[in-house]
Amino acid sequence: NAHNLLTVEVPLPPEKYSDVQRSAFFTSFLGAVRSLPGVTSAAAISQLPLRDPFNDISIYAADDPPTDPTKMGDGYQRVVLPGYFQTMGIPILAGRDIEPADTAHSRRVVVISQQLAKALFPTRNPLGQMVVIDRAQDAPWQIAGVVGDVKQSRLRDDARFRGTFYRSHAQLPLPTMRLAIRTAGSPAAIVRTLGELLRKMDPDIPLSGPRTMEEVMANGAVSETAQAACLAAFSMLA
């Protein structure tokens, strides 16, 4: 749901924040953002749909590894904090969301998209199954939930073409995260307040590229139309 949704990037200096500090920072910042007047919900993810595409990584069922490495399945990897699916309007189809209890010291869990669930476990219930991510055989992850498919890279893509899997930021604490902030009114109205809030937490961290999700989708549509026109022109020349 792109309506009244502001997107921004928040990059933490890797040398300044440890893994534990990164998780604590984004949890605290999200809590403060959610309390701002006019904000109805807020979430954080490593790469937002369309705005930050790609990053496909191998994933397969732990009890059914591929025999041919060239045919290894993959999916778009995303890292989230709790509340992402609710804020974005992505339905949870089975199981649960990423939760605050999914910490660095708890069982490693992953939420997968419907398409990925069908690809990995066509005849089995995916909930509770173990998967291997990025060929890390010694560290399987347990499927905690299944969510709706999302077009991550292009509006013209079929969301079912490649599935997506979501891991907890507390279990994979990346330094740069993107926020998705749902507002009651115009998203542009909170940009200044959001920047002030971030400066209070750390004056060295910039609030990068505030754009509404509707702008992201519109820009993506224009770009894809231009690419299609160029391909058509080259085809005619050939």
Side-chain angles (χ1 to χ4, degrees):
N1 179 6
H3 183 62
N4 282 5
L5 190 65
L6 179 70
T7 68
V8 298
E9 181 176 302
V10 179
L12 300 185
E15 69 282 355
K16 185 176 180 180
Y17 286 85
S18 66
D19 287 354
V20 173
Q21 290 171 325
R22 293 172 189 174
S23 183
F25 179 93
F26 283 113
T27 298
S28 178
F29 186 48
L30 265 185
V33 171
R34 288 167 178 157
S35 67
L36 292 176
V39 172
T40 59
S41 65
I45 186 170
S46 55
Q47 292 167 266
L48 283 157
L50 306 181
R51 175 169 173 160
D52 310 286
F54 309 118
N55 193 28
D56 48 316
I57 292 178
S58 66
I59 180 171
Y60 55 86
D63 61 358
D64 188 23
T67 56
D68 184 349
T70 64
K71 296 181 180 180
M72 185 172 295
D74 60 6
Y76 291 124
Q77 172 177 266
R78 299 295 183 260
V79 177
V80 300
L81 273 77
Y84 174 75
F85 304 115
Q86 184 269 329
T87 294
M88 296 295 284
I90 301 170
I92 297 177
L93 305 177
R96 65 171 178 85
D97 194 349
I98 295 294
E99 298 178 348
D102 298 320
T103 68
H105 305 292
S106 65
R107 178 187 290 274
R108 299 178 180 213
V109 297
V110 60
V111 171
I112 64 176
S113 69
Q114 185 177 32
Q115 173 63 16
L116 195 55
K118 292 178 180 178
L120 296 177
F121 305 99
T123 61
R124 291 186 284 170
N125 182 351
L127 296 181
Q129 303 288 348
M130 306 299 291
V131 293
V132 174
I133 299 173
D134 202 19
R135 309 187 190 191
Q137 296 275 3
D138 60 331
W141 295 65
Q142 186 174 56
I143 298 175
V146 178
V147 297
D149 294 316
V150 175
K151 295 183 178 183
Q152 300 288 0
S153 296
R154 290 165 49 91
L155 287 168
R156 294 176 184 266
D157 285 346
D158 187 335
R160 297 171 298 176
F161 176 71
R162 176 179 282 119
T164 306
F165 60 94
Y166 304 83
R167 297 202 260 183
S168 167
H169 184 264
Q171 297 180 341
L172 191 63
L174 302 180
T176 297
M177 295 291 282
R178 283 81 178 179
L179 268 63
I181 305 165
R182 184 82 60 188
T183 59
S186 170
I190 70 163
V191 172
R192 180 176 178 180
T193 304
L194 194 63
E196 292 173 349
L197 175 63
L198 183 59
R199 283 192 294 273
K200 287 180 181 179
M201 294 191 64
D202 189 329
D204 295 328
I205 301 175
L207 185 70
S208 179
R211 285 186 288 167
T212 68
M213 183 53 76
E214 290 177 334
E215 290 173 333
V216 171
M217 293 179 69
N219 290 340
V222 170
S223 176
E224 289 175 26
T225 300
Q227 290 177 12
C230 286
L231 288 173
F234 282 123
S235 177
M236 291 176 66
L237 290 173

